[in-house]
Amino acid sequence: MSGLDGPSLPVLGRRGMLTALREADVPRVVEACTTEAAERWLETPVPYRLEDAESFVREFVPAGWRGEHDERVWAIRESLSGPLMGVIGLREGSREVGFWLHPEGQGRGLMADAVRTAVGHADGCLTWPEVRWACFVGNVASMRVARAAGFSYLGERDGLHRGVPERQHHAVRLASGQPPADALPWPDLA
């Protein structure tokens, strides 16, 4: 371990676990955040540089665990000593989940499991009545994860992406596990 502030114990899922980020994760953060998909869908800097990953791992993530801002971020791993497969965060103010996956972890169900695990943590430990999710229109992979993780679709809304208006899909997962009264059918994700 690197001594960075973060969760002291892993949160176990069915396919993986949520752990603290480590100094050794910096290169994999760079790899994940410099893909074409990351540059299109994430709110990360473009171009994403080594300094951005170092700041994220060394400063932003630990500051959240110290209570200096409202986002708690976990690493997604398949085993305690395994490589970083992705990142998931819960934002307390908006009660929203955000995530990304390293290319090596894609297409294996890791992210849906991580979202269910983090949402269960929010429901059980943080006692949130709901967790919200959003993605920009066209991000079908993120939509598939939210649907697989049990979120109920709420439709499209106006949003901003790097300061430019762009439509967003929205969904919610209630702590009860039941769909809200205003839930809509998920769009075709073929």
Side-chain angles (χ1 to χ4, degrees):
M1 297 301 272
S2 65
L4 298 173
D5 289 331
S8 57
L9 296 172
V11 181
L12 302 177
R14 291 186 177 168
R15 294 181 182 232
M17 60 184 62
L18 309 181
T19 73
L21 269 89
R22 303 172 186 148
E23 186 70 30
D25 294 331
V26 168
R28 293 202 38 108
V29 172
V30 173
E31 290 171 9
C33 292
T34 55
T35 65
E36 186 177 319
E39 290 179 357
R40 169 63 182 104
W41 302 120
L42 299 180
E43 294 285 340
T44 54
V46 176
Y48 196 85
R49 301 176 313 239
L50 175 63
E51 298 81 31
D52 298 313
E54 290 171 338
S55 176
F56 177 72
V57 171
R58 295 176 185 162
E59 298 168 23
F60 180 80
V61 172
W65 287 101
R66 290 190 304 264
E68 296 170 16
H69 60 76
D70 76 340
E71 186 169 356
R72 306 300 178 270
V73 177
W74 288 267
I76 302 166
R77 302 181 197 284
E78 292 180 284
S79 67
L80 195 54
S81 61
L84 177 75
M85 288 298 189
V87 167
I88 188 163
L90 292 173
R91 294 176 197 104
E92 191 168 358
S94 60
R95 293 193 172 145
E96 185 176 41
V97 64
F99 49 81
W100 55 256
L101 206 53
H102 187 279
E104 284 181 23
Q106 294 174 2
R108 299 180 7 217
L110 283 173
M111 187 53 77
D113 178 63
V115 171
R116 283 189 297 273
T117 301
V119 167
H121 183 73
D123 291 346
C125 298
L126 304 177
T127 63
W128 290 4
E130 64 186 30
V131 176
R132 298 191 165 275
W133 161 91
C135 79
F136 296 106
V137 170
N139 190 347
V140 175
S142 187
M143 293 178 72
R144 287 183 179 135
V145 167
R147 183 177 67 183
F151 280 70
S152 297
Y153 186 66
L154 299 177
E156 290 184 23
R157 298 182 189 147
D158 290 329
L160 289 176
H161 188 198
R162 296 188 176 105
V164 177
E166 192 167 343
R167 297 288 288 171
Q168 294 180 324
H169 293 287
H170 287 262
V172 66
R173 185 186 180 289
L174 301 180
S176 67
Q178 298 299 312
D182 57 346
L184 302 169
W186 279 94
D188 181 23
L189 303 179

